Amino acid sequence: MKGEIEIAGQVIGGRVASIMIREKSGRKIELGDLLVVEEDGGYLIMQVYDLGYGSQIPQSIRELAAGLKLEGYGNGLDFLDPQLRNYVMAQVKAVARVTGELVKIPKVLPSFFSSVRYVTREDMKFLTKPANPVYLGKVRSGSKVLDVDVYLNGDDLFAHHVIISSTTGRGKSNLVKVMLWDITGQSRFGALVLDPHDEYFGRSGKGLKDHPEAKRNLSYFSTNPPVGGNTLVVNLGSISPEHFEGIIEFSDAQQHAIRLYHREFRDEWIEKILRGTQIEGIASTTLSVLQRILRATLSVYLEDDRIVCRNNVFSDSSGKATISEIIKALEGGKLVVVDTSKLGDEAELLIGSIIATEILTKHQEAKAEGKLDEKRTVSIVIEEAPRVLACERLAKIGENIYSRIAREGRKFKVGLLAITQLVSIMPRDILTNMNTKIVLGNEMATERHAIIESAAQDLSTDDRNIASLDKGEAIITSIFTKFAVPIYTPLFEDFIKERAEKFDTKGELIFQG
Amino acid sequence: MHKFAHMADIHLGAHREQVLQRLEMVAFSEAMDMCIEEKVDFILICGDLFHIGIPDLGVVKEAVRKMKEVQDSGIPIYAIYGSHDYTPTGTTVIDILDTVGIIKKVVRGKITEGKLRLDFFTDPKTGAKLVGISARKIGLESRYYEILDVENLEKEGGFKVFAFHSGLTEFKPDYLSQMETIPISYLPKGFDYYAGGHVHNRSENSLLGYGRVVFPGPLFTGYARDIEQTAKGEKRGFYIVSFQDKVEKVDFIEIKPFDSVYFEYDASLKNSLQAQKELTEKLAGLEVKDKVFVLKVRGELSGGKTSDINFSQIKRTLIERGALYVHLNRFGLTSKEFAAVKVMGEDIGSIESRLFKENVGAVRLTHEALKDERGAIMATELLQNLRQEPKANESKKDYGERMVKQTIETLQLREVFK
Ligand SMILES: Nc1ncnc2c1ncn2[C@@H]1O[C@H](COP(=O)(O)OP(=O)(O)OP(=O)(O)O)[C@@H](O)[C@H]1O
Ligand SMILES: [Mg+2]
Ligand SMILES: [Mn+2]
């Protein structure tokens, strides 16, 4: 801030995790505000987590004064020097001590009675743009937005998994869209988005398709593609039994049967099951149960001797290269958005499973050959993550590729970006493994507690804060940030207006028949 | 009932060997004769009639003679450009044949207000409406598709055929996953027949919203890979489509100008001497007379060099025993002792383009057009250009100028050198 420093208050007591500050009259300190105390050539950044009244006047006198006013006895009545006697007390915690370039977790209290000012842009200069940056938003102090961009290194961020949580409608998908926008311009990371609401591409309205590099760096797959989009059609031959693991529940007998069919018929195993081809050792009842499961989950069945798929997403003739095409795009550092809005959960998760399995395998092979360096980090974005990461489900149907990635993907540069309303039902170890958590507003106490418990920084005082976050307001807690950074992520539509990068339109096209 | 023939990827002039040159023309003649015999109403060639934009005149002469015969029996030949019907300088043999009326290009349209509007060409005899998009310099046609006004095309009534020379992602076989393709959503919906070219793999497809989408594959064989596939049993030929208001029938007509044998030998765990000996013995027992012989040798030799195996001797022996032609593929043959360079690929072209793609990332480049896939494509193209030899009768000076001009085009430096 230019000119005079704006004093917000003064330190009057407390302890490290709860420093007491008296607010200067006329200031409106908010929950979540960042405040600064300057000292020893450096400064301390503190964050407000609770507010209360303070008064020099005993409670009974205040009550009496209020009574007099309310009942009309003293219209001109007021306290002597009211700003001195009544005030606001802010409870703050120290979050970072900055000395030059150095940012540390604060270990000492600010000097007693030192004056406190609002944070300024300059105070956040240490948040520099890392290599391979992914934009997350701007620093936020309470509900005020500072003009300081927050980026994290994409390789760190994605490989170490991200979880984004809030109650519905607080801006999770919006935030992810903003993050992915940046990636679209970079070709540095691959990202697969399984999009059950078809909200990322921007089929109608703005979306990732509006990125200047979208033609080159974004592939969109849909059962009903717009002009230029890819048809989401997966050949049944691309599916193998392992892709079903933890996605669709099979009994031991069914499990055994599908393995036999696969061994016997390779790429045609599903087709053979649908056609009712018998093999030795498999009861025909098992076969018909399998047919029923495939019909219920993948909507594939036999009709007049032809394999049909209700939503056309699986085929016995088309889509042979769809999976390779997607893998190729991801490995090439592209963003792949798969519109699964017309699919059932199982079909969506299965398609994700096929792709994720291929990617993980490729990266594992690369690692074994000492060539993991040549691979780009790939992130798998999944909405409503408890569909695959809920404790109960994992216990019942077993591990799936998503939980495997959450547990061990980091070693292979494959990460999960899990979006969820519910954190409390996810396994502790998986949550701990997700090294960046982006917390948006959440009214549910159980969820807040689950988030706080698994956070990378101590958020024990942030409960109220999290409850009061508005749309787009978030807290990043990550092993890659020095402290839990409050941010505001703009509305995607506004964000891209601002970013409307100019790009050179290719030379004029001349048509030659 | 009307009928038309749909063929593509004929690649006349692709071969240097006399035997194959002859067979290639035999295949073409047979196909043309078949069209006359079957009394098709017209022939539609979906690109790559010739292997290069300015082919050897001997090849052109033979082909024109045959096409003239077709024309004289009242059958028009319609065509679009393929990816090989291209010269950096513009004019190709297709244009010349179009000018003199031997064939007719059916792609017409213009770009107005950023949209590509195509005009239908109506076959006078059957009333079939043809429209299409030619291939252009590697992948450039995709920019046409991006701005194609599909609405007008979809609105048109009648029997409609869309001719194109591009792979479609949805129908691409997995082994061609490296091939550049476009998604089918670029094509206008609701046509009766989509006549494809470019993919050297025959397939009949359909997908919701699109009628029949057919790739006839090469009529004979264009690339080295093709001849292997043919020898392995893949049928070559073209389609005859019977129609009234709709497609009634789609028949594949096989053209088989030669018999062939495919033999694959795995040399793994043997040294070069053992491999040569065993291979020679195995070949001795095979019937090769009057056949095209495809020999694929692969595996890692446990000792010796791959060049220790005397392949020319092996070839010569097969020819002496009456083989029409021997095609040898030993790209998959490596040696343990000399494994420094390991490349995988089916033929020279795909190995080259893969190497470019893999290595372009290792070079620090600032110019957009040189980066990533674009850079790799440009490099591939440049190599293709520079590999051209002088034509018969071309003076050194003309050759030099042509090469310079093409190179400038390829490098997109026209502006700079203007
Ligand atoms: N940063 C923001 N600023 C203003 N409005 C926002 C912001 N982020 C989101 N919104 C608005 O809130 C709505 C809900 O946002 P979004 O879809 O991202 O929420 P969500 O957390 O993904 O919800 P759900 O859990 O239901 O998927 C959006 O339609 C958008 O208009
Ligand atoms: Mg959402
Ligand atoms: Mn071709």
Side-chain angles (χ1 to χ4, degrees):
Chain A
M1 218 164 285
K2 281 178 218 110
E4 215 173 309
I5 319 162
E6 213 181 341
I7 300 296
Q10 198 153 34
V11 176
I12 59 99
R15 34 196 333 113
V16 179
S18 74
I19 299 166
M20 304 296 292
I21 288 173
R22 172 175 166 153
E23 183 189 74
K24 181 171 157 56
S25 71
R27 306 291 187 234
K28 278 267 176 252
I29 293 182
E30 280 181 71
L31 270 187
D33 262 349
L34 295 175
L35 302 173
V36 171
V37 169
E38 286 184 50
E39 53 186 25
D40 306 337
Y43 53 94
L44 183 72
I45 301 173
M46 303 174 300
Q47 188 175 32
V48 179
Y49 68 85
D50 205 358
L51 292 167
Y53 291 110
S55 183
Q56 294 298 308
I57 297 153
Q59 169 105 1
S60 56
I61 309 280
R62 278 180 274 151
E63 285 171 14
L64 178 63
L68 289 170
K69 265 198 142 159
L70 288 168
E71 308 308 329
Y73 292 98
N75 273 340
L77 188 75
D78 212 339
F79 295 109
L80 203 59
D81 300 329
Q83 67 273 35
L84 280 182
R85 285 162 205 273
N86 297 313
Y87 41 84
V88 169
M89 290 294 295
Q91 222 170 341
V92 309
K93 65 171 172 179
V95 291
R97 178 171 292 278
V98 187
T99 322
E101 303 276 275
L102 212 64
V103 185
K104 280 185 162 169
I105 296 168
K107 297 223 170 59
V108 291
L109 281 169
S111 317
F112 207 47
F113 268 113
S114 43
S115 29
V116 176
R117 62 169 174 80
Y118 285 113
V119 74
T120 67
R121 210 183 132 183
E122 267 63 43
D123 298 324
M124 289 291 162
K125 275 261 164 72
F126 63 86
L127 288 176
T128 46
K129 195 168 176 172
N132 309 336
V134 175
Y135 181 73
L136 296 167
K138 288 187 185 295
V139 174
R140 174 178 59 80
S141 168
S143 56
K144 295 174 287 291
V145 180
L146 259 58
D147 188 19
V148 179
D149 292 332
V150 179
Y151 295 92
L152 283 180
N153 177 316
D155 279 319
D156 292 342
L157 181 71
F158 294 126
H160 290 250
H161 316 295
V162 185
I163 183 162
I164 299 182
S165 69
S166 81
T167 24
T168 179
R170 293 301 181 95
K172 296 183 293 295
S173 304
N174 179 75
L175 177 114
V176 175
K177 234 191 283 180
V178 169
M179 286 170 74
L180 296 177
W181 176 271
D182 250 14
I183 300 175
T184 311
Q186 296 192 22
S187 342
R188 280 212 183 96
F189 323 103
L192 169 71
V193 184
L194 298 173
D195 184 2
H197 306 298
D198 197 14
E199 58 188 328
Y200 286 91
F201 179 73
R203 183 189 284 265
S204 52
K206 294 285 177 198
L208 295 167
K209 70 161 192 316
D210 298 297
H211 195 287
E213 290 288 333
K215 283 237 161 66
R216 252 170 18 106
N217 284 341
L218 169 66
S219 306
Y220 179 59
F221 288 81
S222 170
T223 42
N224 167 32
V227 171
N230 299 289
T231 314
L232 180 61
V233 53
V234 176
N235 195 269
L236 289 171
S238 313
I239 308 175
S240 63
E242 61 168 333
H243 300 138
F244 287 99
E245 266 167 39
I247 305 290
I248 290 168
E249 195 175 0
F250 289 113
S251 69
D252 286 350
Q254 291 157 4
Q255 198 74 255
H256 175 68
I258 62 177
R259 288 195 188 283
L260 276 190
Y261 270 90
H262 185 247
R263 206 167 63 201
E264 180 82 19
F265 302 112
R266 307 308 310 178
D267 285 2
E268 290 174 5
W269 71 283
I270 294 184
E271 195 179 329
K272 294 290 182 191
I273 291 176
L274 293 172
R275 290 190 186 283
T277 312
Q278 303 270 344
I279 55 175
E280 223 181 279
I282 300 300
S284 57
T285 45
T286 308
L287 193 55
S288 51
V289 176
L290 285 177
Q291 288 172 352
R292 199 156 2 102
I293 295 175
L294 289 172
R295 186 181 186 127
T297 55
L298 310 187
S299 308
V300 287
Y301 47 92
L302 202 66
E303 195 177 276
D304 303 334
D305 213 35
R306 275 182 39 236
I307 308 271
V308 285
C309 175
R310 203 177 325 115
N311 43 24
N312 292 303
V313 71
F314 298 105
S315 163
D316 60 337
S317 54
S318 315
K320 293 201 174 87
T322 302
I323 298 294
S324 332
E325 201 73 11
I326 292 176
I327 302 287
K328 186 172 76 177
L330 292 173
E331 300 262 283
K334 293 186 187 179
L335 184 65
V336 177
V337 176
V338 181
D339 162 26
T340 55
S341 59
K342 302 277 185 307
L343 276 57
D345 264 3
E346 280 103 346
E348 173 188 4
L349 298 174
L350 177 71
I351 290 175
S353 174
I354 302 169
I355 302 165
T357 308
E358 295 294 295
I359 286 282
L360 187 64
T361 311
K362 270 191 175 245
H363 282 216
Q364 281 169 331
E365 284 166 6
K367 180 156 186 172
E369 288 172 26
K371 287 184 174 165
L372 191 61
D373 282 352
E374 294 169 15
K375 296 278 177 205
R376 293 174 164 97
T377 301
V378 175
S379 176
I380 295 173
V381 180
I382 175 162
E383 290 265 357
E384 294 155 48
R387 290 184 296 169
V388 283
L389 297 179
C391 298
E392 204 181 320
R393 184 194 164 97
L394 290 169
K396 187 158 166 256
I397 349 189
E399 295 285 319
N400 54 60
I401 184 69
Y402 306 94
S403 63
R404 265 181 58 209
I405 288 176
R407 294 206 161 96
E408 53 174 330
R410 168 157 54 102
K411 290 179 286 191
F412 307 104
K413 290 169 75 170
V414 183
L416 215 57
L417 193 155
I419 301 170
T420 180
Q421 296 181 16
L422 300 172
V423 173
S424 59
I425 57 172
M426 291 168 50
R428 268 306 276 270
D429 63 324
I430 286 187
L431 285 175
T432 313
N433 250 326
M434 310 203 92
N435 283 327
T436 300
K437 299 185 177 73
I438 305 182
V439 186
L440 293 100
N442 208 319
E443 286 115 37
M444 307 208 309
T446 37
E447 295 309 317
R448 292 201 301 272
H449 295 157
I451 295 161
I452 289 168
E453 270 172 30
S454 62
Q457 279 95 8
D458 177 15
L459 295 187
S460 56
T461 55
D462 283 277
D463 189 49
R464 206 161 287 132
N465 217 331
I466 296 170
S468 67
L469 292 176
D470 249 326
K471 278 185 185 179
E473 295 178 352
I475 298 170
I476 305 172
T477 158
S478 166
I479 61 165
F480 304 109
T481 59
K482 290 278 165 40
F483 61 99
V485 186
I487 59 161
Y488 173 73
T489 310
L491 186 65
F492 179 77
E493 286 76 3
D494 298 339
F495 167 73
I496 63 170
K497 227 177 280 160
E498 194 183 302
R499 289 254 175 153
E501 286 151 292
K502 275 181 245 101
F503 63 104
D504 52 315
T505 40
K506 298 170 199 159
E508 203 196 336
L509 194 57
I510 299 159
F511 182 65
Q512 201 184 347
Chain B
M1 184 93 77
H2 306 301
K3 276 197 246 178
F4 74 89
H6 165 208
M7 51 186 87
D9 300 283
I10 304 170
H11 290 271
L12 293 173
H15 299 281
R16 292 194 185 173
E17 305 75 13
Q18 275 198 354
V19 191
L20 294 181
Q21 269 175 12
R22 183 174 59 77
L23 290 175
E24 164 188 287
M25 203 46 82
V26 169
F28 183 63
S29 298
E30 273 181 27
M32 291 296 124
D33 288 342
M34 201 67 142
C35 290
I36 297 172
E37 197 177 308
E38 287 283 325
K39 300 198 174 63
V40 302
D41 295 293
F42 61 88
I43 298 171
L44 177 59
I45 299 175
C46 292
D48 290 355
L49 170 55
F50 292 97
H51 192 63
I52 46 176
I54 309 172
D56 189 87
L57 284 181
V59 174
V60 178
K61 184 179 134 198
E62 291 275 316
V64 167
R65 194 197 347 239
K66 200 68 210 175
M67 289 192 280
K68 189 79 182 38
E69 223 180 290
V70 172
Q71 200 181 38
D72 290 344
S73 37
I75 303 171
I77 301 177
Y78 304 135
I80 65 172
Y81 291 125
S83 43
H84 286 252
D85 299 319
Y86 161 76
T87 59
T89 46
T91 311
T92 74
V93 66
I94 300 291
D95 300 303
I96 295 165
L97 297 182
D98 179 58
T99 309
V100 299
I102 292 284
I103 62 177
K104 171 140 196 59
K105 285 195 292 181
V106 290
V107 183
R108 292 176 310 176
K110 61 172 182 295
I111 299 176
T112 39
E113 290 156 15
K115 278 270 168 202
L116 172 57
R117 293 183 215 286
L118 293 178
D119 300 321
F120 279 96
F121 167 81
T122 307
D123 172 55
K125 193 165 158 216
T126 63
K129 293 175 182 173
L130 312 182
V131 77
I133 288 191
S134 286
R136 293 291 313 279
K137 183 171 97 171
I138 307 177
L140 188 64
E141 72 273 10
S142 67
R143 288 186 60 198
Y144 290 156
Y145 284 105
E146 283 167 17
I147 58 165
L148 178 62
D149 178 1
V150 287
E151 256 170 58
N152 274 317
L153 300 177
E154 289 173 354
K155 268 202 319 246
E156 184 87 13
F159 180 82
K160 295 187 290 184
V161 177
F162 190 89
F164 62 104
H165 187 89
S166 309
L168 295 176
T169 316
E170 287 80 356
F171 307 133
K172 167 159 71 170
D174 198 30
Y175 70 87
L176 290 179
S177 64
Q178 292 299 320
M179 176 189 191
E180 293 280 323
T181 50
I182 59 162
I184 196 169
S185 63
Y186 273 133
L187 307 190
K189 289 198 168 119
F191 274 55
D192 295 285
Y193 188 86
Y194 295 82
H198 190 51
V199 181
H200 285 205
N201 186 71
R202 179 164 72 95
S203 70
E204 299 161 36
N205 316 275
S206 64
L207 203 69
L208 203 71
Y210 301 88
R212 296 198 198 225
V213 187
V214 176
F215 291 96
L219 181 71
F220 176 67
T221 132
Y223 308 132
R225 221 206 115 80
D226 298 342
I227 203 164
E228 285 179 35
Q229 292 301 112
T230 311
K232 274 185 181 171
E234 181 150 335
K235 294 190 170 118
R236 304 300 185 189
F238 67 100
Y239 280 87
I240 290 185
V241 182
S242 313
F243 67 101
Q244 202 67 54
D245 305 328
K246 284 191 166 45
V247 172
E248 302 282 342
K249 207 155 59 92
V250 175
D251 293 311
F252 177 66
I253 310 295
E254 189 184 354
I255 297 289
K256 195 169 189 246
F258 60 80
D259 282 323
S260 48
V261 195
Y262 178 82
F263 186 77
E264 192 166 319
Y265 176 69
D266 185 354
S268 299
L269 305 174
K270 299 179 185 76
N271 66 33
S272 47
L273 282 176
Q274 293 164 324
Q276 159 134 9
K277 185 159 173 286
E278 190 179 53
L279 181 56
T280 312
E281 282 166 14
K282 292 208 163 171
L283 292 177
L286 296 172
E287 179 56 60
V288 301
K289 189 150 169 44
D290 293 333
K291 289 182 177 162
V292 167
F293 195 96
V294 174
L295 174 60
K296 188 164 182 168
V297 185
R298 57 184 178 81
E300 187 182 63
L301 292 172
S302 61
K305 286 184 286 205
T306 55
S307 56
D308 291 345
I309 302 178
N310 190 343
F311 284 108
S312 8
Q313 173 64 46
I314 290 172
K315 269 186 166 178
R316 216 175 309 126
T317 315
L318 287 165
I319 295 291
E320 278 162 17
R321 285 168 51 205
L324 268 182
Y325 172 70
V326 179
H327 172 85
L328 171 70
N329 176 345
R330 53 184 169 107
F331 292 113
L333 180 67
T334 57
S335 159
K336 207 178 184 102
E337 289 173 33
F338 300 88
V341 186
K342 199 168 104 191
V343 281
M344 305 258 289
E346 292 292 340
D347 55 54
I348 295 172
S350 61
I351 291 171
E352 280 169 0
S353 82
R354 183 180 311 199
L355 282 176
F356 280 132
K357 275 189 189 157
E358 281 173 1
N359 289 301
V360 71
V363 194
R364 240 202 150 84
L365 298 160
T366 46
H367 200 292
E368 279 303 315
L370 299 175
K371 283 184 187 167
D372 300 334
E373 212 147 303
R374 278 182 282 181
I377 288 174
M378 188 187 279
T380 312
E381 206 172 304
L382 187 62
L383 190 62
Q384 276 170 13
N385 278 346
L386 296 178
R387 201 152 32 207
Q388 291 177 56
E389 283 166 24
K391 293 186 188 306
N393 290 332
E394 192 175 31
S395 73
K396 237 190 176 133
K397 181 164 163 284
D398 286 349
Y399 173 64
E401 281 173 6
R402 184 162 66 90
M403 295 312 278
V404 168
K405 191 165 177 206
Q406 290 186 4
T407 304
I408 290 172
E409 283 288 329
T410 307
L411 294 173
Q412 299 171 14
L413 293 175
R414 203 177 349 159
E415 296 295 311
V416 180
F417 284 90
K418 203 150 54 181

